[in-house]
Amino acid sequence: MAGQRLSVTRRTVLRGAVAAGAMAGAVAAGAATPTAARAETGRRVAVLGGGVAGLTAAHELAERGFEVTVYERRALGGKARSIAVPGTGKDGRPELWGEHGFRFFPGFYRHIPDTMRRIPFAGNANGVWDNLVAAPEARFSRQGADDTLIPMGKFGKVWSTPADFRETVGSAIATSTSMGTADALYFANRLLVFNTSCDARRYGQWDQMSWRDYVGAGKRSNEFRMLLSRTLTTLLVAAKEDKASTLTIGTMGEQFLGNPLEVANDGALDRLLNGATNEAWIDPWVNRLRDLGVTFVNAEVKGLELEGSRISGARVVDSAGSAQTVAADYFVSALPVEVARTLWTPEILSLRPELAGMNQLTVDWMTGIQFFLRRPTDIARGHVAYVDSPWSLTSISQGQFWNRTPVTGLGDGTVQDCLSVDISDWNTPGMLYGKTAKECTHEEIAREVWAQLQAHLNDRADLLRDEDLHSWFLDTGVAWDAAQQRNTNADPLLINTAGSWVLRPESHHAALENLFLAGDYVRTNVDLATMEGASEAARTAVNKILDVSGSDAARCKLFTLYRAVELEPFRQLDVQRFAAGQPNMFDA
């Protein structure tokens, strides 16, 4: 392969994690620091985990006068951070940026943008929020067939009836894809059924059904199955269509397609940052939290200690290997589901037995690889989905959007673009080696992904040339186990499988007085393992702390997803129909 891997040793990864956990930043001009309020109240909060959920909880608590310490074992920002590639910067240039996966900020996100506006950024009137830029189009690339470019923005006409809804959504799908009108209208009707379903049906019926069964993919055209069943699920939840919950995929469809005029959106439908995530968002955020008095400790949480109905301490081991027990008045678990559920002792489960359901939640892999290129790409002005790729690939060409930290100013000076690729399916054999991504060495993963990209993009023109490949970088959370001849992954993703809603816990229960859950696995309105879900869960946890502590501080803003008011009468009618065991009135 023309490019070479940018090597990262375990030592450099640990050094980078410690550095990220000890980030020092300038104090924002004019920022208020509620030191006096903290001294007066004396309320200590230990936030366990420094990803988006942990940073959000720390932000909201610190603004309300709590004394907050965040314990993070690796790097602040978690899955959302960017990763400096050690040793790549030459002649005074900064190092190249890798990442767990490319950032994506849909317009219907409300919690993350609200936080961004409260993170100062030099020259930006709206703080970090002004670093969001719109992607005007998306490309659906087919192997051996014509690709489709879809404008990302408002479409269709104002509608007022279910018939108008079907026509608007159906025509938008039919005209922007090669799908037949009958299939497009059929899918629009399935979306109408979901959009007019009451909550009881959504959680009681649709969450129990896979998306493939809900849309009847087995009886539709190949184009329908590939775009609206397979690709849609892997893009959103890295799950197979026969496993993904209709509740989750339907809710996302309600936002992306059921709201053609982007009513109540925060901004454009598809947005990303104008630079590396750490520079454009995470580092300024950490600096803001330090300014508010938040303390960061590089340490791994090993267990929780219980006294009566309260957590009395958290056992942690710091980066030097020193163990200690952390005391606090309140504990926020902002750890990912696969870590949090290991902390539930029999004693904790006796108080909150529903937490045992977390052991049945499914996690899988959705991980990124970056290809650094010697010339700019001209693939799409936005995200690309490689519809026929065995590993369900998606990508974004970042150079065109990074006007704040241009790719051309990084590394050795020869890199002109970065093609950031997400691998959503690690369980299907690839086209080169006949092995799953989990079974491939890192070099094989790079070769396989590159080949799948070329098979899609080069069937009409040479958009990706071997000679343009400078190097590549695979997320450091993926590690090759030579003994087992397969990879491990330190950062798996919660998968919203059918029936998983009842297994997910609420943020707080009075039986365990001072433990609050803030991970993206907690029940949220957005109902998807995302940065937005993590932020919503953290805000909910903070509001519960405010309730328990008797605080009179303003509660965190919580936003609900869009639902067309025109369809509310049908949702109300569906309440009676579902209670009577009848189908939704449009469910023909």
Side-chain angles (χ1 to χ4, degrees), residues 27 55 62 111 138 148 151 188 263 303 400 420 432 437 448 481 504 516 518 548 586-587:
V27 176
L55 295 181
H111 298 91
T148 302
V263 177
Q400 61 188 314
S420 186
L432 288 185
E448 180 71 54
D481 186 329
R504 293 163 58 190
F516 304 82
V548 171
F586 299 107
D587 195 1

PDB file of all heavy atoms in Angstrom, residues 27 55 62 111 138 148 151 188 263 303 400 420 432 437 448 481 504 516 518 548 586-587:
ATOM      1  N   VAL A  27      -7.640  31.737  30.986  1.00  0.00           N
ATOM      2  CA  VAL A  27      -8.938  32.050  31.562  1.00  0.00           C
ATOM      3  C   VAL A  27      -9.674  32.992  30.619  1.00  0.00           C
ATOM      4  O   VAL A  27      -9.129  33.980  30.147  1.00  0.00           O
ATOM      5  CB  VAL A  27      -8.762  32.709  32.941  1.00  0.00           C
ATOM      6  CG1 VAL A  27     -10.104  33.129  33.504  1.00  0.00           C
ATOM      7  CG2 VAL A  27      -8.060  31.752  33.889  1.00  0.00           C
ATOM      8  N   LEU A  55     -18.173  15.954  30.893  1.00  0.00           N
ATOM      9  CA  LEU A  55     -17.878  17.371  30.748  1.00  0.00           C
ATOM     10  C   LEU A  55     -19.160  18.207  30.828  1.00  0.00           C
ATOM     11  O   LEU A  55     -19.162  19.313  31.387  1.00  0.00           O
ATOM     12  CB  LEU A  55     -17.154  17.632  29.432  1.00  0.00           C
ATOM     13  CG  LEU A  55     -15.762  17.003  29.285  1.00  0.00           C
ATOM     14  CD1 LEU A  55     -15.155  17.364  27.935  1.00  0.00           C
ATOM     15  CD2 LEU A  55     -14.838  17.412  30.419  1.00  0.00           C
ATOM     16  N   ALA A  62     -20.868  23.205  37.787  1.00  0.00           N
ATOM     17  CA  ALA A  62     -19.960  24.290  38.167  1.00  0.00           C
ATOM     18  C   ALA A  62     -20.638  25.642  38.002  1.00  0.00           C
ATOM     19  O   ALA A  62     -20.430  26.555  38.815  1.00  0.00           O
ATOM     20  CB  ALA A  62     -18.690  24.219  37.333  1.00  0.00           C
ATOM     21  N   HIS A 111     -29.137  20.157  22.630  1.00  0.00           N
ATOM     22  CA  HIS A 111     -28.386  20.224  23.887  1.00  0.00           C
ATOM     23  C   HIS A 111     -26.917  20.589  23.659  1.00  0.00           C
ATOM     24  O   HIS A 111     -26.385  21.478  24.323  1.00  0.00           O
ATOM     25  CB  HIS A 111     -28.494  18.885  24.631  1.00  0.00           C
ATOM     26  CG  HIS A 111     -29.891  18.524  25.030  1.00  0.00           C
ATOM     27  ND1 HIS A 111     -30.703  17.772  24.211  1.00  0.00           N
ATOM     28  CD2 HIS A 111     -30.619  18.815  26.137  1.00  0.00           C
ATOM     29  CE1 HIS A 111     -31.880  17.604  24.806  1.00  0.00           C
ATOM     30  NE2 HIS A 111     -31.854  18.230  25.969  1.00  0.00           N
ATOM     31  N   ALA A 138     -24.884  15.323   0.453  1.00  0.00           N
ATOM     32  CA  ALA A 138     -24.417  13.995   0.829  1.00  0.00           C
ATOM     33  C   ALA A 138     -24.371  13.137  -0.429  1.00  0.00           C
ATOM     34  O   ALA A 138     -25.136  13.353  -1.371  1.00  0.00           O
ATOM     35  CB  ALA A 138     -25.332  13.355   1.869  1.00  0.00           C
ATOM     36  N   THR A 148     -25.374   8.923  -6.207  1.00  0.00           N
ATOM     37  CA  THR A 148     -26.432   9.907  -6.032  1.00  0.00           C
ATOM     38  C   THR A 148     -25.957  11.012  -5.104  1.00  0.00           C
ATOM     39  O   THR A 148     -25.473  10.737  -4.005  1.00  0.00           O
ATOM     40  CB  THR A 148     -27.700   9.255  -5.430  1.00  0.00           C
ATOM     41  OG1 THR A 148     -28.142   8.201  -6.288  1.00  0.00           O
ATOM     42  CG2 THR A 148     -28.806  10.284  -5.272  1.00  0.00           C
ATOM     43  N   PRO A 151     -28.961  16.985  -1.993  1.00  0.00           N
ATOM     44  CA  PRO A 151     -28.817  18.260  -1.257  1.00  0.00           C
ATOM     45  C   PRO A 151     -29.256  18.069   0.192  1.00  0.00           C
ATOM     46  O   PRO A 151     -30.275  17.423   0.465  1.00  0.00           O
ATOM     47  CB  PRO A 151     -29.752  19.215  -2.011  1.00  0.00           C
ATOM     48  CG  PRO A 151     -29.977  18.571  -3.338  1.00  0.00           C
ATOM     49  CD  PRO A 151     -29.907  17.094  -3.113  1.00  0.00           C
ATOM     50  N   ALA A 188     -42.619   6.410   2.640  1.00  0.00           N
ATOM     51  CA  ALA A 188     -43.211   7.616   3.231  1.00  0.00           C
ATOM     52  C   ALA A 188     -44.406   7.254   4.100  1.00  0.00           C
ATOM     53  O   ALA A 188     -44.617   7.855   5.161  1.00  0.00           O
ATOM     54  CB  ALA A 188     -43.628   8.585   2.124  1.00  0.00           C
ATOM     55  N   VAL A 263     -38.243  22.549  10.901  1.00  0.00           N
ATOM     56  CA  VAL A 263     -38.910  23.333  11.935  1.00  0.00           C
ATOM     57  C   VAL A 263     -38.252  23.071  13.286  1.00  0.00           C
ATOM     58  O   VAL A 263     -37.998  21.919  13.652  1.00  0.00           O
ATOM     59  CB  VAL A 263     -40.407  22.963  12.006  1.00  0.00           C
ATOM     60  CG1 VAL A 263     -41.098  23.734  13.136  1.00  0.00           C
ATOM     61  CG2 VAL A 263     -41.086  23.245  10.670  1.00  0.00           C
ATOM     62  N   GLY A 303     -14.165   0.953  41.460  1.00  0.00           N
ATOM     63  CA  GLY A 303     -15.307   0.426  42.186  1.00  0.00           C
ATOM     64  C   GLY A 303     -15.992   1.502  43.003  1.00  0.00           C
ATOM     65  O   GLY A 303     -15.479   2.617  43.168  1.00  0.00           O
ATOM     66  N   GLN A 400     -11.839  20.515   3.026  1.00  0.00           N
ATOM     67  CA  GLN A 400     -12.704  21.574   2.503  1.00  0.00           C
ATOM     68  C   GLN A 400     -13.428  22.345   3.601  1.00  0.00           C
ATOM     69  O   GLN A 400     -13.901  23.467   3.368  1.00  0.00           O
ATOM     70  CB  GLN A 400     -13.730  20.960   1.544  1.00  0.00           C
ATOM     71  CG  GLN A 400     -14.633  19.935   2.208  1.00  0.00           C
ATOM     72  CD  GLN A 400     -15.501  19.188   1.226  1.00  0.00           C
ATOM     73  OE1 GLN A 400     -16.121  19.786   0.340  1.00  0.00           O
ATOM     74  NE2 GLN A 400     -15.556  17.865   1.368  1.00  0.00           N
ATOM     75  N   SER A 420     -11.597  11.099   6.310  1.00  0.00           N
ATOM     76  CA  SER A 420     -11.904  10.424   7.565  1.00  0.00           C
ATOM     77  C   SER A 420     -13.039   9.441   7.328  1.00  0.00           C
ATOM     78  O   SER A 420     -14.116   9.823   6.848  1.00  0.00           O
ATOM     79  CB  SER A 420     -12.297  11.441   8.634  1.00  0.00           C
ATOM     80  OG  SER A 420     -12.466  10.825   9.899  1.00  0.00           O
ATOM     81  N   LEU A 432     -10.985  -8.215   0.254  1.00  0.00           N
ATOM     82  CA  LEU A 432      -9.599  -8.580  -0.046  1.00  0.00           C
ATOM     83  C   LEU A 432      -9.157  -9.853   0.654  1.00  0.00           C
ATOM     84  O   LEU A 432      -8.551 -10.734   0.046  1.00  0.00           O
ATOM     85  CB  LEU A 432      -8.650  -7.441   0.358  1.00  0.00           C
ATOM     86  CG  LEU A 432      -8.635  -6.172  -0.492  1.00  0.00           C
ATOM     87  CD1 LEU A 432      -7.535  -5.239   0.006  1.00  0.00           C
ATOM     88  CD2 LEU A 432      -8.420  -6.503  -1.962  1.00  0.00           C
ATOM     89  N   ALA A 437     -13.341  -7.169   9.973  1.00  0.00           N
ATOM     90  CA  ALA A 437     -12.400  -6.148  10.434  1.00  0.00           C
ATOM     91  C   ALA A 437     -11.806  -6.525  11.785  1.00  0.00           C
ATOM     92  O   ALA A 437     -10.650  -6.212  12.068  1.00  0.00           O
ATOM     93  CB  ALA A 437     -13.096  -4.792  10.514  1.00  0.00           C
ATOM     94  N   GLU A 448      -7.946  -2.949   3.256  1.00  0.00           N
ATOM     95  CA  GLU A 448      -9.326  -3.354   2.957  1.00  0.00           C
ATOM     96  C   GLU A 448     -10.236  -2.141   2.794  1.00  0.00           C
ATOM     97  O   GLU A 448     -11.023  -2.058   1.838  1.00  0.00           O
ATOM     98  CB  GLU A 448      -9.846  -4.261   4.071  1.00  0.00           C
ATOM     99  CG  GLU A 448     -11.269  -4.754   3.887  1.00  0.00           C
ATOM    100  CD  GLU A 448     -11.420  -5.774   2.776  1.00  0.00           C
ATOM    101  OE1 GLU A 448     -10.697  -6.785   2.791  1.00  0.00           O
ATOM    102  OE2 GLU A 448     -12.278  -5.552   1.893  1.00  0.00           O
ATOM    103  N   ASP A 481      -4.490  -8.061  19.181  1.00  0.00           N
ATOM    104  CA  ASP A 481      -4.107  -9.092  20.134  1.00  0.00           C
ATOM    105  C   ASP A 481      -3.492 -10.244  19.348  1.00  0.00           C
ATOM    106  O   ASP A 481      -4.209 -11.033  18.716  1.00  0.00           O
ATOM    107  CB  ASP A 481      -5.330  -9.567  20.924  1.00  0.00           C
ATOM    108  CG  ASP A 481      -4.983 -10.543  22.046  1.00  0.00           C
ATOM    109  OD1 ASP A 481      -3.999 -11.288  21.900  1.00  0.00           O
ATOM    110  OD2 ASP A 481      -5.716 -10.568  23.059  1.00  0.00           O
ATOM    111  N   ARG A 504     -32.772  -0.123  29.675  1.00  0.00           N
ATOM    112  CA  ARG A 504     -32.001   1.089  29.949  1.00  0.00           C
ATOM    113  C   ARG A 504     -32.557   1.796  31.182  1.00  0.00           C
ATOM    114  O   ARG A 504     -33.778   1.927  31.328  1.00  0.00           O
ATOM    115  CB  ARG A 504     -32.008   2.006  28.729  1.00  0.00           C
ATOM    116  CG  ARG A 504     -31.252   1.406  27.554  1.00  0.00           C
ATOM    117  CD  ARG A 504     -31.588   2.084  26.251  1.00  0.00           C
ATOM    118  NE  ARG A 504     -31.317   3.511  26.288  1.00  0.00           N
ATOM    119  CZ  ARG A 504     -31.698   4.361  25.331  1.00  0.00           C
ATOM    120  NH1 ARG A 504     -32.353   3.902  24.270  1.00  0.00           N
ATOM    121  NH2 ARG A 504     -31.415   5.642  25.422  1.00  0.00           N
ATOM    122  N   PHE A 516     -25.952   9.185  40.407  1.00  0.00           N
ATOM    123  CA  PHE A 516     -26.703   9.688  39.265  1.00  0.00           C
ATOM    124  C   PHE A 516     -26.011   9.220  37.983  1.00  0.00           C
ATOM    125  O   PHE A 516     -24.786   9.305  37.867  1.00  0.00           O
ATOM    126  CB  PHE A 516     -26.764  11.220  39.315  1.00  0.00           C
ATOM    127  CG  PHE A 516     -27.337  11.742  40.612  1.00  0.00           C
ATOM    128  CD1 PHE A 516     -26.530  11.863  41.743  1.00  0.00           C
ATOM    129  CD2 PHE A 516     -28.675  12.064  40.704  1.00  0.00           C
ATOM    130  CE1 PHE A 516     -27.048  12.319  42.938  1.00  0.00           C
ATOM    131  CE2 PHE A 516     -29.211  12.525  41.900  1.00  0.00           C
ATOM    132  CZ  PHE A 516     -28.394  12.648  43.025  1.00  0.00           C
ATOM    133  N   ALA A 518     -25.241   9.309  33.917  1.00  0.00           N
ATOM    134  CA  ALA A 518     -25.200  10.335  32.870  1.00  0.00           C
ATOM    135  C   ALA A 518     -24.648   9.816  31.552  1.00  0.00           C
ATOM    136  O   ALA A 518     -24.235  10.608  30.703  1.00  0.00           O
ATOM    137  CB  ALA A 518     -24.366  11.524  33.347  1.00  0.00           C
ATOM    138  N   VAL A 548     -32.448  16.777  44.665  1.00  0.00           N
ATOM    139  CA  VAL A 548     -32.078  16.088  45.887  1.00  0.00           C
ATOM    140  C   VAL A 548     -31.394  17.023  46.874  1.00  0.00           C
ATOM    141  O   VAL A 548     -31.597  16.944  48.095  1.00  0.00           O
ATOM    142  CB  VAL A 548     -31.173  14.872  45.568  1.00  0.00           C
ATOM    143  CG1 VAL A 548     -30.584  14.273  46.840  1.00  0.00           C
ATOM    144  CG2 VAL A 548     -31.952  13.815  44.796  1.00  0.00           C
ATOM    145  N   PHE A 586     -53.056   4.332   9.802  1.00  0.00           N
ATOM    146  CA  PHE A 586     -52.403   4.369   8.491  1.00  0.00           C
ATOM    147  C   PHE A 586     -51.595   3.099   8.213  1.00  0.00           C
ATOM    148  O   PHE A 586     -50.930   2.997   7.180  1.00  0.00           O
ATOM    149  CB  PHE A 586     -51.481   5.583   8.389  1.00  0.00           C
ATOM    150  CG  PHE A 586     -52.196   6.892   8.541  1.00  0.00           C
ATOM    151  CD1 PHE A 586     -52.053   7.652   9.695  1.00  0.00           C
ATOM    152  CD2 PHE A 586     -53.040   7.355   7.541  1.00  0.00           C
ATOM    153  CE1 PHE A 586     -52.715   8.856   9.848  1.00  0.00           C
ATOM    154  CE2 PHE A 586     -53.718   8.557   7.688  1.00  0.00           C
ATOM    155  CZ  PHE A 586     -53.552   9.309   8.846  1.00  0.00           C
ATOM    156  N   ASP A 587     -51.643   2.153   9.142  1.00  0.00           N
ATOM    157  CA  ASP A 587     -50.833   0.941   9.041  1.00  0.00           C
ATOM    158  C   ASP A 587     -51.564  -0.109   8.228  1.00  0.00           C
ATOM    159  O   ASP A 587     -52.108  -1.079   8.741  1.00  0.00           O
ATOM    160  CB  ASP A 587     -50.517   0.412  10.445  1.00  0.00           C
ATOM    161  CG  ASP A 587     -49.401  -0.621  10.435  1.00  0.00           C
ATOM    162  OD1 ASP A 587     -48.873  -0.900   9.348  1.00  0.00           O
ATOM    163  OD2 ASP A 587     -49.063  -1.133  11.503  1.00  0.00           O
TER     164      ASP A 587
END
